[in-house]
Amino acid sequence: MEWLTYDFMQRALLAGILVALTCPLIGAFLVARRQSVIGDGLGHIAFAGVAAGWLLGWQPVASAALFTVLGASAMEWVRKRHTDWPDMILAIFFYSGMALAVILASMKRAGGLNLSSFLFGSLITVDVTDLWLIGLLGCVIWLVIILLYRPLVYLSFDETAARVSGLPTNALNYLLAILAALTVAVAMRIVGILLVAALMVIPVACALGGATGFRTLILRSVGYALAAVVGGLAAAYYGNFAPGGCIVLTATALFVLQSLCGKRN
C-alpha cells in the first residue's frame, strides 16, 4: 500500500471513491432507459465547458457542470420533438459539442489550457477544491435519487405507464438528463471526458448478472465501480500508466470475469 502514503494519491483515491459512488447510480437509470451512450454526448459538451471556463477564468468542474446541464436540457427538449430519431439527436449534440470545444480551445487566450488532463483524466492535479465540488455534486445527485427513487424507476422502465398514472414525466425526464450531466462533470477529472461514460455503464453491466432487483443492481454497480477505481489507481501508480485508462480497463476486466464466471440474467 505504498501508493497511499502520498498526499496526491490519497486525494486521487478519495475523488475516485466519490466518483465510483455516483457514476453507476445514474448509469443504472440510463441503462434501463436504453440511453447508455448519452454520457458520450454530454462528455463532448463538458469539453466545451472546460474550454469556456478557462477563457472566462472559472473553475473547470463548475463550468463543465453548467455547460452539461444546459446541454442536457436542450438535448431533452429536442428529443421530445423528434421521438422517432433519438440516435440522430444524440449525434447532433455529440458533434456540435466537440466543434464548440475545438473552437474555444483554439482561441488565443486558451493557449495555456492543458486539454489532455480533461480528455484522459489527471489524478495528480486533483486538489481540495476539486474534492469539495465533486463531493457536493455527488451529494446532490444521491439526495435527488433517494427522494424521487420510485418515480424515476417507474419512468425508466415504462414511461407510457408513468405518464398515464399521472407522474410529471416531462419534468422527470429533464431531471434525469440534468443528473446525468452533473455526473459527467463529477467524473471527468478522474477518468477523463473521453472515458467518463464507461464508468457510468460498465459497472452496471457487471452488476446485471445476479441482480435480483433495481436496488440490488445499483448497490452491486457501486461495488464494482469501487473495485475498478482502487484496482485501476494501484495499477496506474505501479505501472506508471494513465489512471483513467487503468480504471476503465479494470472495470472491463471485471465485466469479462463476471461474464465468464457469473450467471447472466
Side-chain angles (χ1 to χ4, degrees):
M1 301 296 285
E2 173 192 349
W3 59 286
L4 289 179
T5 61
Y6 297 96
D7 290 342
F8 75 93
M9 289 304 296
Q10 293 172 7
R11 290 193 299 271
L13 178 61
L14 179 55
I17 289 174
L18 293 173
V19 168
L21 290 172
T22 305
C23 280
L25 174 65
I26 194 66
F29 289 94
L30 296 180
V31 169
R33 291 165 58 88
R34 304 295 193 270
Q35 294 180 341
S36 300
V37 297
I38 195 173
D40 285 324
L42 293 174
H44 287 80
I45 296 172
F47 188 23
V50 169
W54 179 266
L55 291 172
L56 297 172
W58 296 355
Q59 214 282 340
V61 174
S63 61
L66 176 61
F67 265 62
T68 50
V69 166
L70 293 176
S73 300
M75 193 183 302
E76 182 61 27
W77 184 83
V78 176
R79 187 184 71 85
K80 282 295 182 183
R81 283 150 182 79
H82 298 275
T83 55
D84 294 333
W85 306 98
D87 55 336
M88 178 187 71
I89 301 306
L90 288 176
I92 290 173
F93 277 89
F94 285 11
Y95 305 140
S96 299
M98 183 55 71
L100 178 59
V102 171
I103 291 175
L104 292 174
S106 66
M107 296 176 69
K108 184 176 181 181
R109 287 180 58 196
L113 176 61
N114 181 16
L115 294 177
S116 64
S117 65
F118 294 97
L119 286 172
F120 307 107
S122 179
L123 292 171
I124 296 178
T125 61
V126 173
D127 56 24
V128 176
T129 301
D130 290 323
L131 287 176
W132 275 107
L133 280 173
I134 293 170
L136 177 61
L137 291 176
C139 288
V140 169
I141 292 169
W142 267 97
L143 180 61
V144 172
I145 292 295
I146 290 173
L147 293 176
L148 297 175
Y149 175 78
R150 290 184 180 277
L152 288 175
V153 171
Y154 199 2
L155 175 76
S156 298
F157 284 95
D158 196 335
E159 183 172 347
T160 301
R163 184 180 298 109
V164 172
S165 68
L167 288 177
T169 54
N170 287 337
L172 290 173
N173 277 321
Y174 276 105
L175 178 62
L176 200 55
I178 290 172
L179 292 178
L182 292 176
T183 302
V184 170
V186 165
M188 70 172 187
R189 289 287 277 174
I190 307 303
V191 295
I193 291 171
L194 295 181
L195 299 174
V196 63
L199 203 57
M200 295 170 67
V201 174
I202 297 177
V204 180
C206 295
L208 284 174
T212 57
F214 199 70
R215 284 192 179 90
T216 304
L217 175 66
I218 291 175
L219 293 176
R220 286 169 59 89
S221 299
V222 170
Y224 278 112
L226 289 171
V229 166
V230 174
L233 285 178
Y237 174 79
Y238 289 109
N240 196 26
F241 300 132
C246 286
I247 291 172
V248 173
L249 286 181
T250 302
T252 301
L254 292 173
F255 172 73
V256 172
L257 289 174
Q258 201 282 330
S259 299
L260 293 175
C261 303
K263 179 181 178 181
R264 304 298 297 175
N265 285 338

